[in-house]
Amino acid sequence: MSEVTEQDVLEALKHVVDEEKGQDVVGLGMISSVVVKNGNVGFAIEVDAEAGEAKEPLRKACEEAIESLPGVLSVTVVLTAHREKPQQAPPTRPSTGKENVSGIRSIVAVASGKGGVGKSTTAVNIALSMAAAGRQVGVLDADIYGPSIPRLLGIKGRPDATGDRRLKPMENHGVRCMSMGFLVAEDTPMIWRGPMVQSALEQMLRDVDWGELDVLVVDMPPGTGDAQLTMAQKVPLTGAVIVSTPQDIALSDARKGLNMFRQVDVPVFGIVENMSYYNCPNCGHRAEIFGHGGARATAHRLGTKFLGEIPLHIGIRETSDEGKPIVVSVPRGEHAAAYLRISDRIAAKIDELTDDESHAPPRIVID
Ligand code: ADP
């Protein structure tokens, strides 16, 4: 069978018409970021931000047009917007809500009020700690603004498709991983808005053959806007963890994150303080550069748990950059121990919630 090419994809899409505009999607210049690799096809459809979910049927039509091409093993189509969406309430959708994903026992979101606080580094090290404790773990990189999990886990290449047109997660250091970074070219500037993010995330969650997982760790996009709220609403999250640095400003952002999850009834397991303090490698002096302890105080004030602190340490950055995070590269070190303590606390919370549910009668949820 001949390999499907980008040209084949574009030819097929010329037959898909945007009813509203009366022209085909290629002619309208709506298709971008086409990636074709070994029969796996991914691309984005650019729509007006305000069009939102109204374009879901168009997305489906594009997906079906490509699925029927010979040689295509999987198709991932996402809606994306380049224009700002006017301020409005988060979308509501006549969906069945948060359906559980079969085989996945629990899903934990790792979130932060803003970027650069070490959310992805923390998410990966927590996932690896849970795997070290004998759990089956997956990481879903939902940080569509800057998907960094493949780099942190030292994973290159693209996922293969399964026989039933789902994607196989990639794997390294004993954890499975799926990332937007596998599907969309890294240099594609894209502004994702709430309703559009949803299709990407749901595909990564449901169209991926995760197998049996005890925990799926979701690395959320930083911030507390519409995109994050939609994700928190649509994914059946068992709970969320907020990563913060000790600075006050980051903490006020963390507070927003906490409120966001509470708004959508997702339990917040607690706050992790990252870059909490600095142990001078020369003299051993402990310097609290950012005024250590803020997260503990905030957690207390907001009625959530303080899950632990991670120091600012060059080894944490270097090992991450090398694709061998500190929990796997120095598993007996003090930093790995700090991540293990935090992940144990999270695991205990998960067990508490999932055990409760397995013993309780089935709940009837009315949206
Ligand atoms: P975010 O996901 O919040 O944007 P990242 O996890 O990408 O943040 O971290 C931002 C940068 O800070 C990266 O270079 C990372 O290696 C570094 N970093 C994160 N946590 C620590 C830490 N505890 N000590 C040293 N460097 C860290």
Side-chain angles (χ1 to χ4, degrees), residues 95-178:
S95 80
T96 48
K98 304 178 182 186
E99 285 163 43
N100 284 332
V101 187
S102 85
I104 304 183
R105 206 180 115 225
S106 65
I107 307 182
V108 176
V110 178
S112 63
K114 60 166 200 175
V117 301
K119 169 183 54 60
S120 302
T121 309
T122 308
V124 156
N125 278 296
I126 286 174
L128 292 168
S129 300
M130 289 189 176
R135 294 180 187 241
Q136 295 288 334
V137 181
V139 185
L140 197 169
D141 185 3
D143 188 348
I144 41 192
Y145 302 107
S148 58
I149 300 291
R151 183 173 48 80
L152 291 176
L153 282 175
I155 296 176
K156 288 210 176 77
R158 294 195 183 277
D160 291 328
T162 61
D164 58 354
R165 293 176 178 246
R166 298 170 86 205
L167 288 176
K168 278 194 208 127
M170 307 283 275
E171 188 164 344
N172 200 17
H173 307 309
V175 302
R176 285 165 236 168
C177 166
M178 180 50 68

Side-chain angles (χ1 to χ4, degrees), residues 84-100:
E84 284 288 329
K85 185 160 73 94
Q87 282 298 320
Q88 60 177 52
T92 49
R93 198 172 91 128
S95 80
T96 48
K98 304 178 182 186
E99 285 163 43
N100 284 332

Side-chain angles (χ1 to χ4, degrees), residues 115-121 274-275 310-313 316-317:
V117 301
K119 169 183 54 60
S120 302
T121 309
N274 189 38
M275 309 189 194
I310 303 292
L312 175 70
H313 192 273
I316 295 178
R317 188 186 61 71

